[in-house]
Amino acid sequence: MGTTGQRYSGEVNGPVEQRRSGVGRVLAGLRLAAVSAVIGAALAALVVGVILKDVPVLATGGGVLALLVLLAFIGGRRGAGRDAPPARRTALARIEDLRATGGETADVPVTFRLTVAPEPEDERPAYRVKISQSVNLVDIPAYRPRGIAVVEYHPEKPWDVRIVTRPTPEWSRRAEEAQIDSAPDSTLVRDPDGGAGAWCLLVLVGLLAGAALVVLSFRGELFASGDAGGSAAKESSSSSAAASSSASRTFSTSTTVSGPSSSLLTFGRMRVTAMELEARVDSAYVTSLRIEDHRMAVRGDSARPLAETVHLPSLPYELLPGLVHEARATLGVREAESWRIDVTPGGGAGVGPRVRVTVSGTEGTAHLDADGTGRITDRRAVGVS
């Protein structure tokens, strides 16, 4: 199912939707600020009424708070009586990029950049979205850049996307046959409520403004012994954005594991160690990866095109121990004294990484080659040139 030539949401109706969204957010912000100011004023009236023993002020503050609680209750009842939100829709998505952000448990948090291509009957153009989802260590090799995944999204909240880890056979077949073009970066959708900090700040400002209004109205009674020239403190915050240009750099790092069950052949140990190295070099793309029994090392060059690098999170670490056992058992090395795995980029664009497992013993050295999915492509036993 190709999507070549389709229209994208950012190109068709992006400006209109952005204007509407901007106006809606401004109105919502004004409404939130007004309600916060009223609440702040009511609370301040209660405090001032208690301090001054002024019953009318105390009753006014209490009455306003009771009215707000009643309105909130009525609004909640009306919201509960509305129709249920539409069900989530299933669609295909192209994986633009992915990056694991942790690895302490079997389920690893992974950040995905996707191009979601809704079904034609949904009448929604393709768009980009960035999500974070936990994926089991065993399932991570199934998700690769430029691969196709089955997703579910909310029709009214297109940023609410989840990858379906166990799709139906029909959707699995469609994902295998699909070809989806990348949507432009301008189509990236975000959760408009994602900036919770700004809304919290607006609520705080509203509360303080309402409270300050009431306190200043009664400042003569509250501060009879002080001078009436209390001035509000002014806060100024300045932020400067520094533009940084990252020059081309090469890097290399390694780590050695020790302790009980410290062999990197232990299930899950390779992926966890690789993620630690990825965090250390701050890059998921390297030019070479070497794995030995107790040591892992990476090298990289930020100037290399992505097609000439290895994407660390996409490697099938869970299958590599099996390749080592296969090399030990079938290549004529009876007592393997050492082994290593070398992963290098493929021969060009669209070609996955090349994995070579080398075993050495008293008989000599042998190796086998595999592709980026762990499928063996070549064997060279001892004595074979």
Side-chain angles (χ1 to χ4, degrees), residues 242-297:
S244 62
S245 58
S246 59
S248 171
R249 67 183 181 96
T250 58
F251 55 84
S252 64
T253 187
S254 64
T255 185
T256 302
V257 295
S258 60
S261 303
S262 60
S263 173
L264 287 172
L265 294 179
T266 304
F267 181 79
R269 177 73 65 126
M270 286 189 186
R271 184 173 295 278
V272 172
T273 306
M275 291 176 184
E276 292 175 354
L277 293 180
E278 176 187 339
R280 188 181 301 176
V281 300
D282 193 24
S283 176
Y285 296 91
V286 299
T287 55
S288 69
L289 167 68
R290 171 165 291 190
I291 306 173
E292 297 171 319
D293 195 20
H294 298 280
R295 183 176 180 272
M296 181 180 294

Side-chain angles (χ1 to χ4, degrees), residues 161-174:
V161 178
R162 303 295 294 173
I163 293 179
V164 181
T165 56
R166 297 292 183 268
T168 62
E170 171 64 18
W171 277 103
S172 297
R173 180 188 62 80
R174 294 179 63 179

